[in-house]
Amino acid sequence: MMEERVVHYAGQNFNVSELCYKPITGKGCMTTSPMEFWLMNITNMNEDKNISETAQCIYPRFPGHNTCFDRIGVPLMKPAIFGKSNVLESLKKCVPDLVECQALLTTFLLNNNPYTEALAEAWEKDVFIDILQEFNDIMDEGNYKKKPQDGKTELEKKVRQRYKDHPDMVKLHLYFMAERSIPDDLLLQDKANMGIVAVSYALMFLYVSCAIGYLPSFLYSRFLVGFAGILIVIFSLLVAFGFLAYLGMGLSIISAEVVPFLILAIGVDNMFIISRAEKGVPAEVTNIEERLARGLSNIGPSILCAATCEFLAFMIGTLTNIPALLSFCLVAGIAVLVDFIFQVTAFVAILKLDNTRIANHRADVVPCIVYDNPKPRRNEIINRLFEKYYTPFVMNKICHLVIVALVILFFVFGVLGFQNITLGISHMASVTSESDIYWYFDTQEDYVDQGPISYLVFRDVNYTNMENRKLMNEMADALSVLNDSVQQPIYSWIKGFEMFLREDTDWAVPCGSLGINALPFNEQMRKFVKIKVNSDCCLKYGICGEQYIKDVVFNSWGEVETTRYRFYHTPLRIEWDYIRDLQATRYVVDQFTDKFKKNSWALKNYEGKSEDESRSVFAYSLFYVYYEQYYYIRGVLAENILITVAIIIFAAQLITTLKSSIFVGLTVFMISFSLVGVSYMLNLMISGFKIQFNAVFVVNIVMSAGLAVEFCAHLMIAFLRAKGSRRQRAILALNQMGSAIFVGIGSTKLIGVFILGFAPSTIFRLYYFRMYLSIIFLGIFFGIMVLPMVLSYIGPAHEAGMGESLDSKETKEEQFV
């Protein structure tokens, strides 16, 4: 039925024969299926007296049967058909041992090219997945969603009849995966998560709109200011996304999910700080423009310092060779820059309009309502709580001992996490729970005995050079001894080709080798790939050139341009298996690639190319694309964090002082480095799926560095502006900026992140809920606990050029002892 059913596409009907991989010209599709032992003929199997021996390729069972060859003449690979197999030792002498298996596997191989990609995806959805889902529904006595009006589909009629004829037949369940399964599942996850994300951002927007003013007063609420500030954040994101589109770069899923969180945090923080700066201007200054000017002159250096650090840090991050990280850093950098420009221009103008509204005693949201005798604006509760309770607590010397102990703990766990967090990303964690692809991955780990197909590609190699041929043979031999990573056999055309060139052998006549060495190499190759798999040359002597016809590519001049070897990896069950096999094959390639001599006519194509682009040999498998990053991902993260810290120190000292910029840089480093440690701690404490070292993890760490600047830069500059002893200045800075940081970033993000804990996606709960929550707590801990403590002991001197404190009242040091 899978081969018969058609898919309707672009006004035409297509079946699998027009999409499938056909390794032998003029033959049918290559399908690895248990039925291929009987040439896909049910009659052959029913008449077989011993199907176990047939499946073990012991004897020919029927006329025209070649053991272990399928209907098109390709050797059958038993590990690709039988799952979780083991040998049952025979009790009788001279009787072959039987092989028991617990799963049967079938694979439909389709051509992978841009011309048929859309059609192949349509066939996978409307034929492959549809039939398998229908079969499972029948087995589970479910209601098939596409059931016709007469009550039964064609497949259901056949299945019901088969079980009626054979009532003792075991009920089967099919676990399956198509190439489109993971992208389809990601789309389903996005739709499922969209509601949670929408609620998360809606709550944050509502909180910001309310918290920036004074509820429940309708005069001082400033709901419209908060809403306008949110719009500024959205516009900043749209500009960044548009700029990326202008460059012709795609927006990664990671960037689309992480950047809004980051820019909202930065934008909200700036909104609170700017509005608070205006409130901190002495009451005797009544002119609205002057109040805003004084407030912005006080807080401007702080916002400029943070934005410069963040922008330069993210721009440096674009130099990475991890695409997801590059996309994130570029979008984040542009969004930070645009948001800064909008904050110091548009948002200040919005504040001016709102202050005018308040001065005219008009209600928020509905300005047509005018209050005759409004009550005076009350002081902020959170400010009073910080001054009365939080600051004395943090500046207590006993508390300092606890803080130092926690810093040491975070650092130790950071080191352990960097070394022990495993590489990769769990397949089952990255897909929807209970989905078809989820159960396929779960079953694959237990039952599949063969890994994915891989290729060793030779590009523009001079095949007439005998030293090159020797190297190709040595590479095949080197692959064949990788028993932990590669399964036998290695489908290498070079060995069969060299046998074909020997004219002094028994196979010279049946293989057509006589006089072959008088021909040029390209003609020799054309003759070799025409040797049929059902010829005597192949069946008796093992020279089967036709099976390699898809492994040899001729250019438009009739010359061999590219060739390849084929082989299968060992079963890959966990992430480390993928990384190990990739490393093993790449190690073999690296030993040989520089030794090959290229064709002289191809040398000009490599002028000015990098070393990687000029390689004569490379290994390829579909999973290599995703797992290659794990070669260097730890180094990339360490490099990005160190460069980010260096850039932050450089940018900050342009605006502040070198000593203060070092404090900011070290605080940023500790927040990001501690995030690695906290992730490791959470892995140890929480069962189930673990946080792993992958692109999402790296993006979160780099994002934490950008967000960390907001937690410490503003307080650092407030400390530089303050007068008095170090301790007095630290207290004053904490009183002024601590509540703004807590309310502007901490509380806002806590509300949004808490909702993410209810997301249906495991990835969301691991990398967004757990890690974002950790970023917030670490930012609060280092920004408004560790940094004030350190500044109170070894902080830099007062910087007169930074302006005066926002609050001129003196602080009594002794009350915090």
Side-chain angles (χ1 to χ4, degrees):
M1 180 169 286
M2 196 77 73
E3 295 181 341
E4 295 171 356
R5 185 179 290 188
V6 299
V7 58
H8 189 71
Y9 181 80
Q12 301 181 55
N13 291 328
F14 299 89
N15 59 29
V16 69
S17 65
E18 296 166 280
L19 298 167
C20 66
Y21 173 62
K22 299 176 181 178
I24 299 176
T25 305
K27 298 293 182 74
C29 301
M30 180 178 175
T31 304
T32 59
S33 165
M35 284 302 298
E36 287 289 3
F37 286 102
W38 297 273
L39 308 182
M40 298 297 287
N41 188 318
I42 190 66
T43 303
N44 289 340
M45 189 180 75
N46 290 336
E47 294 177 354
D48 193 342
K49 296 180 180 179
N50 194 327
I51 62 174
S52 297
E53 290 187 358
T54 302
Q56 292 181 78
C57 308
I58 297 175
Y59 309 113
R61 310 305 297 185
F62 46 86
H65 178 227
N66 294 318
T67 58
C68 263
F69 278 82
D70 66 10
R71 56 183 162 164
I72 65 172
V74 173
L76 291 169
M77 297 169 289
K78 288 188 284 186
I81 295 174
F82 301 122
K84 205 170 186 177
S85 57
N86 55 20
V87 177
L88 300 177
E89 188 174 348
S90 175
L91 299 177
K92 299 179 180 180
K93 294 183 178 180
C94 302
V95 175
D97 294 336
L98 297 180
V99 176
E100 178 188 58
C101 74
Q102 299 181 35
L104 299 174
L105 293 83
T106 298
T107 305
F108 291 86
L109 299 174
L110 305 184
N111 288 314
N112 192 350
N113 60 66
Y115 306 106
T116 61
E117 182 177 359
L119 175 57
E121 289 182 353
W123 181 87
E124 287 179 344
K125 178 183 178 183
D126 297 337
V127 178
F128 180 78
I129 295 176
D130 188 70
I131 289 176
L132 298 180
Q133 286 180 337
E134 180 185 357
F135 180 87
N136 284 338
D137 284 343
I138 295 169
M139 290 293 97
D140 297 337
E141 302 296 338
N143 294 316
Y144 181 56
K145 60 184 179 181
K146 295 184 180 180
K147 187 173 288 188
Q149 294 181 353
D150 62 3
K152 288 186 178 181
T153 64
E154 180 184 356
L155 176 61
E156 184 172 0
K157 292 175 183 177
K158 290 183 178 181
V159 172
R160 300 290 186 202
Q161 186 62 45
R162 176 70 62 181
Y163 275 90
K164 182 179 179 180
D165 297 340
H166 304 277
D168 57 339
M169 203 162 67
V170 177
K171 281 194 173 183
L172 299 176
H173 188 87
L174 305 178
Y175 301 95
F176 58 89
M177 172 185 173
E179 189 163 325
R180 65 174 294 158
S181 294
I182 293 180
D184 285 353
D185 189 82
L186 291 176
L187 289 176
L188 288 175
Q189 285 192 62
D190 285 344
K191 291 179 181 179
N193 293 326
M194 195 174 295
I196 294 292
V197 173
V199 171
S200 172
Y201 281 106
L203 288 176
M204 287 190 287
F205 292 167
L206 182 63
Y207 169 79
V208 170
S209 299
C210 297
I212 200 169
Y214 298 86
L215 286 178
S217 169
F218 289 104
L219 177 62
Y220 303 108
S221 61
R222 284 190 161 174
F223 184 87
L224 286 179
V225 172
F227 181 73
I230 297 300
L231 290 179
I232 285 175
V233 172
I234 294 174
F235 292 156
S236 303
L237 290 170
L238 292 177
V239 171
F241 293 159
F243 181 76
L244 199 69
Y246 175 76
L247 296 179
M249 298 176 62
L251 180 67
S252 68
I253 295 177
I254 299 175
S255 298
E257 292 170 343
V258 177
V259 174
F261 179 91
L262 172 68
I263 302 305
L264 183 62
I266 294 172
V268 167
D269 186 42
N270 288 342
M271 287 160 51
F272 276 93
I273 290 174
I274 292 174
S275 62
R276 179 159 299 184
E278 181 271 328
K279 295 173 189 175
V281 175
E284 54 267 23
V285 180
T286 57
N287 183 274
I288 295 175
E289 287 86 352
E290 186 178 350
R291 291 182 61 84
L292 285 171
R294 287 196 180 190
L296 196 59
S297 66
N298 272 318
I299 204 64
S302 174
I303 296 176
L304 176 61
C305 174
T308 303
C309 293
E310 291 156 357
F311 174 72
L312 292 178
F314 287 133
M315 288 299 100
I316 290 296
T318 61
L319 301 178
T320 182
N321 53 358
I322 297 180
L325 184 57
L326 186 153
S327 172
F328 163 76
C329 288
L330 184 59
V331 174
I334 298 300
V336 165
L337 178 62
V338 175
D339 181 68
F340 167 74
I341 295 172
F342 285 169
Q343 292 282 354
V344 297
T345 54
F347 185 72
V348 172
I350 292 168
L351 271 182
K352 191 266 181 186
L353 293 174
D354 194 68
N355 282 342
T356 302
R357 173 190 64 78
I358 294 173
N360 293 328
H361 301 166
R362 294 185 177 274
D364 193 16
V365 182
V366 189
C368 58
I369 299 176
V370 181
Y371 294 96
D372 294 331
N373 297 303
K375 295 181 180 179
R377 184 173 63 189
R378 60 176 172 81
N379 292 328
E380 293 185 8
I381 297 176
I382 191 69
N383 246 3
R384 296 201 304 269
L385 292 176
F386 254 75
E387 292 181 12
K388 187 174 181 180
Y389 299 106
Y390 182 79
T391 302
F393 170 75
V394 171
M395 300 309 293
N396 187 284
K397 293 185 178 180
I398 296 176
C399 183
H400 289 178
L401 295 176
V402 177
I403 291 173
V404 171
L406 288 175
V407 170
I408 295 172
L409 180 67
F410 284 138
F411 184 81
V412 170
F413 270 95
V415 174
L416 293 175
F418 209 90
Q419 295 175 336
N420 296 312
I421 293 180
T422 58
L423 297 172
I425 184 168
S426 171
H427 292 150
M428 295 176 66
S430 60
V431 298
T432 305
S433 299
E434 309 297 320
S435 64
D436 291 327
I437 188 67
Y438 175 91
W439 290 117
Y440 171 82
F441 285 139
D442 183 59
T443 307
Q444 180 193 38
E445 291 184 4
D446 292 329
Y447 291 98
V448 176
D449 291 337
Q450 186 173 49
I453 189 170
S454 297
Y455 305 97
L456 201 62
V457 181
F458 300 88
R459 181 176 56 178
D460 292 330
V461 168
N462 184 350
Y463 299 102
T464 62
N465 185 297
M466 300 308 296
E467 186 62 28
N468 281 351
R469 291 188 189 178
K470 180 182 177 182
L471 291 172
M472 292 178 73
N473 274 312
E474 290 177 358
M475 289 192 76
D477 294 338
L479 285 174
S480 66
V481 298
L482 297 176
N483 297 323
D484 292 335
S485 302
V486 175
Q487 287 183 327
Q488 298 294 334
I490 309 297
Y491 294 96
S492 161
W493 63 266
I494 190 68
K495 294 184 182 295
F497 179 72
E498 290 187 338
M499 290 177 64
F500 171 65
L501 296 182
R502 293 172 61 184
E503 300 183 41
D504 56 345
T505 57
D506 295 339
W507 58 76
V509 174
C511 293
S513 298
L514 294 177
I516 192 67
N517 289 295
L519 299 175
F521 167 76
N522 295 304
E523 188 62 31
Q524 292 173 344
M525 183 61 80
R526 269 188 285 271
K527 287 185 173 293
F528 171 68
V529 297
K530 291 179 181 178
I531 299 175
K532 301 292 184 181
V533 293
N534 58 356
S535 65
D536 288 343
C537 182
C538 178
L539 297 177
K540 290 184 178 180
Y541 304 106
I543 303 176
C544 310
E546 192 177 30
Q547 68 173 315
Y548 302 113
I549 194 167
K550 299 291 186 180
D551 298 329
V552 180
V553 177
F554 292 88
N555 62 21
S556 56
W557 296 284
E559 298 170 320
V560 176
E561 185 175 59
T562 306
T563 66
R564 71 183 182 191
Y565 292 166
R566 287 173 284 123
F567 59 93
Y568 285 85
H569 282 287
T570 52
L572 306 178
R573 308 193 189 284
I574 60 176
E575 288 73 31
W576 174 245
D577 292 340
Y578 289 87
I579 299 168
R580 177 204 63 201
D581 284 14
L582 170 61
Q583 289 176 338
T585 52
R586 288 288 172 85
Y587 177 78
V588 171
V589 171
D590 291 343
Q591 301 304 304
F592 290 91
T593 186
D594 294 332
K595 300 178 182 179
F596 281 93
K597 304 293 190 300
K598 287 186 172 67
N599 281 311
S600 57
W601 49 266
L603 291 176
K604 61 182 180 181
N605 297 331
Y606 297 94
E607 293 178 359
K609 297 291 184 66
S610 66
E611 182 179 346
D612 285 341
E613 293 174 318
S614 302
R615 282 175 170 255
S616 299
V617 187
F618 63 90
Y620 171 78
S621 185
L622 182 60
F623 76 88
Y624 289 4
V625 177
Y626 303 101
Y627 283 88
E628 185 176 13
Q629 60 183 302
Y630 299 113
Y631 257 100
Y632 44 76
I633 195 166
R634 280 197 175 99
V636 167
L637 177 58
E639 178 184 34
N640 271 271
I641 290 299
L642 293 176
I643 292 177
T644 297
V645 170
I647 290 295
I648 288 172
I649 293 174
F650 170 76
Q653 68 92 24
L654 294 178
I655 301 171
T656 60
T657 64
L658 178 59
K659 187 175 181 180
S660 62
S661 64
I662 291 175
F663 279 114
V664 172
L666 290 178
T667 305
V668 169
F669 172 79
M670 283 303 301
I671 291 174
S672 298
F673 191 71
S674 297
L675 181 58
V676 178
V678 171
S679 299
Y680 179 61
M681 292 169 63
L682 292 173
N683 286 348
L684 296 177
M685 293 187 295
I686 302 176
S687 60
F689 294 113
K690 309 297 183 184
I691 296 173
Q692 295 177 280
F693 237 117
N694 50 56
V696 184
F697 180 80
V698 171
V699 166
N700 282 346
I701 299 295
V702 174
M703 188 269 285
S704 73
L707 193 56
V709 175
E710 296 291 326
F711 281 104
C712 56
H714 304 303
L715 190 139
M716 185 72 247
I717 292 181
F719 178 83
L720 290 175
R721 286 201 307 263
K723 292 182 178 180
S725 67
R726 287 191 175 97
R727 184 177 178 82
Q728 289 174 329
R729 292 162 61 209
I731 291 170
L732 188 58
L734 187 57
N735 286 338
Q736 291 172 357
M737 286 297 170
S739 59
I741 293 171
F742 180 79
V743 175
I745 302 181
S747 300
T748 307
K749 294 293 106 181
L750 277 175
I751 292 172
V753 170
F754 177 75
I755 299 300
L756 297 182
F758 297 96
S761 168
T762 304
I763 289 290
F764 256 67
R765 295 195 300 273
L766 280 176
Y767 294 97
Y768 298 138
F769 174 66
R770 287 189 195 176
M771 292 193 72
Y772 283 12
L773 204 60
S774 301
I775 291 171
I776 295 167
F777 282 120
L778 287 171
I780 292 173
F781 175 71
F782 281 97
I784 58 178
M785 292 184 77
V786 177
L787 184 59
M789 179 199 73
V790 174
L791 293 177
S792 69
Y793 291 103
I794 57 173
H798 166 71
E799 184 68 22
M802 299 303 298
E804 295 301 323
S805 168
L806 293 176
D807 190 349
S808 58
K809 67 181 181 181
E810 295 181 357
T811 303
K812 293 184 179 180
E813 179 179 341
E814 56 270 18
Q815 65 178 322
F816 301 123
V817 177

